[in-house]
């Protein structure tokens, strides 16, 4: 049987992380954050994959710092 995806609040994608097709089946993320070190082609593929899956995606290079609001 296939392993269940790891659940995470935020998935930070940086250079060397891999392509979304290989990573996303293994991770169930509430939010994806694209690090500025990610090459342009990979960045486009990640944005497209997130859009197709309805995953919130924050591109630090285009949108600036990602801020996660936390409540205690």
């Amino acid at each position: 049987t296939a392993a269940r995806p790891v659940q995470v609040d935020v998935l930070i994608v940086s250079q060397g992380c891999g392509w979304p097709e290989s990573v996303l089946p293994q991770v169930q993320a509430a939010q994806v954050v694209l690090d500025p070190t990610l090459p342009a082609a990979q960045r486009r593929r990640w944005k497209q994959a997130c859009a197709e899956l309805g995953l919130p995606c924050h591109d630090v290079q285009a949108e600036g710092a990602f801020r996660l609001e936390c409540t205690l």
Side-chain angles (χ1 to χ4, degrees):
T1 61
R4 291 195 306 194
V6 175
Q7 293 184 353
V8 297
D9 293 325
V10 179
L11 175 65
I12 300 173
V13 180
S14 61
Q15 186 173 10
C17 181
W19 296 97
E21 298 83 4
S22 62
V23 176
L24 289 175
Q26 300 175 46
V27 179
Q28 185 176 356
Q31 171 77 49
V32 175
V33 175
L34 304 178
D35 181 278
T37 63
L38 201 62
Q42 222 172 349
R43 180 178 313 282
R44 285 189 299 273
R45 290 243 315 251
W46 272 96
K47 285 182 175 182
Q48 180 180 0
C50 288
E52 290 172 0
L53 295 170
L55 283 173
C57 181
H58 182 90
D59 182 354
V60 173
Q61 184 173 1
E63 302 171 58
F66 175 74
R67 292 182 56 170
L68 179 64
E69 297 296 325
C70 297
T71 57
L72 299 176

